[in-house]
Amino acid sequence: MTTSVAANRRRFLRFLAGSPLFARAWAQQSESVIETAKEGLSLMDFETAARKVLPPAHWGYMASGVDDDFTQRMNREGFKRFQLRPRRLVDVSKVDLKTEVFGTAWDAPIFLSPVGGQRMFHPEGEVAVARAAKAKKTTQILSSATSIGVEDVGRALGSPLWYQLYMPVRWEGTEKLVRRVEEAGCPVLVWTVDLLGGRNLETAERFRRMDTRECASCHATARGGRAPGELPMYKGIEGGFNPPAANWDTLDRLRKLTKMKLMLKGLDTREDARLAREHGVDGIIVSNHGGRATETGRSTVEALGEVVDAAGAQIPVLVDGGFRRGTDVFKALALGARAVGIGRPYVWALSAFGQDGVERVLDILRAELQLTMRECGMPSIQQITRASIMPADTRLL
Ligand SMILES: Cc1cc2nc3c(=O)[nH]c(=O)nc-3n(C[C@H](O)[C@H](O)[C@H](O)COP(=O)(O)O)c2cc1C
């Protein structure tokens, strides 16, 4: 080992020693790892299993946030700021998880958030997730950075696929992409607006440097992924995506461009929720990209209440970020979310067990939500209200 390599290695080990992300991964490695999807008891069992099978660069990209990974941790911490207020002596012999979004009945208020490049985690990538979503009748949102085209994933899902948009920088690219998505039959377009200013994926980069494999043998850029031209949804679209100049006029233009239901993903404030409603948006996803966009330090469950209030009753508000337990989902529903998305948990499951894993994760989360509803005396989703929870700080309600 040359001196500079040894010095780099020492510096990196020092960084790891102080990193909470590493401490957690280390602690989990010493725990038992499940061998089959069926053995999984909680969503977190799949994190340990994924850690075991993924190479450092892919694991680090998925497991990390931005800057100090603080917002990512806060997404979990936020749930501790709300407590449950169970009601007793209610007939809970039958519990109904059904809800409705844009006039469509959902079996449960849980969906799969868009995650890019899923073949990085499993050879069948987005298609395996689609098969699981089909088996479990769950809405899947396909990322613009998908590693498999919308047409093939749509076929595997066998029902309308929601599509997440990273807007191309050039407008003619947006027109082309939106037409393709419409032709594939997608009923809902989800424009993610939290990466327009860029981001700092520092921890992911540190993990990438640990990886000794030759990245360029699979993808053109060594820095964690594919160049836009390599992504199936950006073939023939020049100029990259996520224009920093985008503003509410851009939204108006997009609104006029398509008849698909239009949602914004990545709103966290009442001001933006109000603007979204005024500009004709059909729905909002409260999200901080799983702590991977702006280091706000604010969990999505804490931001949810103000967005719901400003959005009004006409627009459904969905949320994601750190949801791991049925009680987490229950708290978001109590704050007024129509449904809750998961990102990393199904990617952990995909990484370790493919389609079976994703199905198991959906089963576990649904079963936990059902149990929470039974325990809290709320046999239907509609009965869950803000009275079902208690904030540690009343300003959160
Ligand atoms: C590896 C990874 C890739 C992601 N890719 C996208 C994406 O392409 N588009 C998008 O809108 N959000 C993306 N997200 C954010 C998720 O949609 C979602 O907001 C987040 O994962 C929810 O938090 P959770 O992972 O704690 O459940 C990604 C998240 C991860 C972890």
Side-chain angles (χ1 to χ4, degrees), residues 62-178:
M62 181 265 298
S64 57
V66 286
D67 293 6
D68 298 311
D69 310 310
F70 174 59
T71 309
Q72 183 187 357
R73 288 194 298 281
M74 288 309 286
N75 274 346
R76 294 290 307 133
E77 287 297 307
F79 294 109
K80 296 183 186 160
R81 306 210 171 146
F82 297 93
Q83 298 139 12
L84 305 184
R85 298 184 67 245
R87 300 296 308 276
R88 307 300 187 200
L89 291 172
V90 178
D91 177 356
V92 287
S93 52
K94 288 197 189 81
V95 173
D96 186 1
L97 266 62
K98 280 198 195 61
T99 190
E100 166 276 321
V101 184
F102 297 139
T104 303
W106 285 19
D107 278 7
I110 294 167
F111 63 94
L112 300 170
S113 289
V115 168
Q118 292 176 17
R119 287 180 65 198
M120 166 184 7
F121 306 113
H122 188 275
E124 290 168 3
E126 291 83 358
V127 161
V129 174
R131 292 192 186 122
K134 181 180 184 183
K136 296 296 161 190
K137 294 203 193 107
T138 300
T139 292
Q140 174 187 13
I141 308 183
L142 185 69
S143 163
S144 266
T146 178
S147 49
I148 302 173
V150 65
E151 299 81 4
D152 290 338
V153 181
R155 262 190 295 279
L157 185 67
S159 62
L161 179 64
W162 288 24
Y163 186 83
Q164 175 266 324
L165 177 72
Y166 281 141
M167 181 177 280
V169 166
R170 298 194 191 149
W171 185 253
E172 60 272 21
T174 302
E175 288 177 333
K176 197 168 169 183
L177 186 52
V178 166

Side-chain angles (χ1 to χ4, degrees), residues 144-347:
S144 266
T146 178
S147 49
I148 302 173
V150 65
E151 299 81 4
D152 290 338
V153 181
R155 262 190 295 279
L157 185 67
S159 62
L161 179 64
W162 288 24
Y163 186 83
Q164 175 266 324
L165 177 72
Y166 281 141
M167 181 177 280
V169 166
R170 298 194 191 149
W171 185 253
E172 60 272 21
T174 302
E175 288 177 333
K176 197 168 169 183
L177 186 52
V178 166
R179 292 295 166 244
R180 179 173 170 187
V181 170
E182 283 172 338
E183 273 160 31
C186 299
V188 180
L189 186 70
V190 180
W191 182 21
T192 296
V193 292
D194 55 17
L195 290 189
L196 298 167
R199 61 174 166 174
N200 177 26
L201 292 174
E202 186 177 313
T203 305
E205 173 61 14
R206 293 185 196 278
F207 271 91
R208 192 192 66 76
R209 290 180 188 180
M210 281 175 79
D211 210 316
T212 51
R213 298 164 318 140
E214 182 50 63
C215 300
S217 63
C218 293
H219 40 78
T221 60
R223 286 185 53 86
R226 297 175 187 273
E230 284 184 287
L231 295 169
M233 296 309 292
Y234 291 93
K235 288 252 158 65
I237 294 178
E238 302 293 320
F241 47 81
N242 282 332
N247 61 18
W248 293 97
D249 294 338
T250 319
L251 172 68
D252 292 341
R253 223 172 160 195
L254 184 63
R255 176 68 291 180
K256 282 199 200 99
L257 181 66
T258 181
K259 293 208 164 18
M260 283 184 278
K261 295 280 184 203
L262 181 58
M263 301 187 78
L264 287 183
K265 175 172 181 278
L267 299 192
D268 297 328
T269 62
R270 65 170 66 79
E271 293 88 339
D272 283 345
R274 218 171 280 134
L275 282 166
R277 197 186 55 195
E278 286 164 12
H279 285 260
V281 154
D282 297 297
I284 292 171
I285 305 185
V286 174
S287 177
N288 53 29
H289 222 106
R292 301 164 67 78
T294 314
E295 187 80 304
T296 60
R298 190 169 187 228
S299 70
T300 50
V301 75
E302 287 168 284
L304 179 60
E306 68 173 70
V307 174
V308 166
D309 290 345
Q314 308 308 319
I315 317 185
V317 175
L318 284 57
V319 62
D320 69 18
F323 287 83
R324 306 291 180 260
R325 287 284 186 191
T327 49
D328 303 337
V329 179
F330 185 91
K331 288 171 187 178
L333 297 174
L335 285 160
R338 188 70 63 88
V340 164
I342 51 169
R344 293 182 186 84
Y346 82 84
V347 174

Side-chain angles (χ1 to χ4, degrees), residues 24-35:
R24 202 175 63 210
W26 183 258
Q28 283 170 344
Q29 272 203 333
S30 53
E31 291 164 12
S32 64
V33 180
I34 54 171
E35 302 287 341

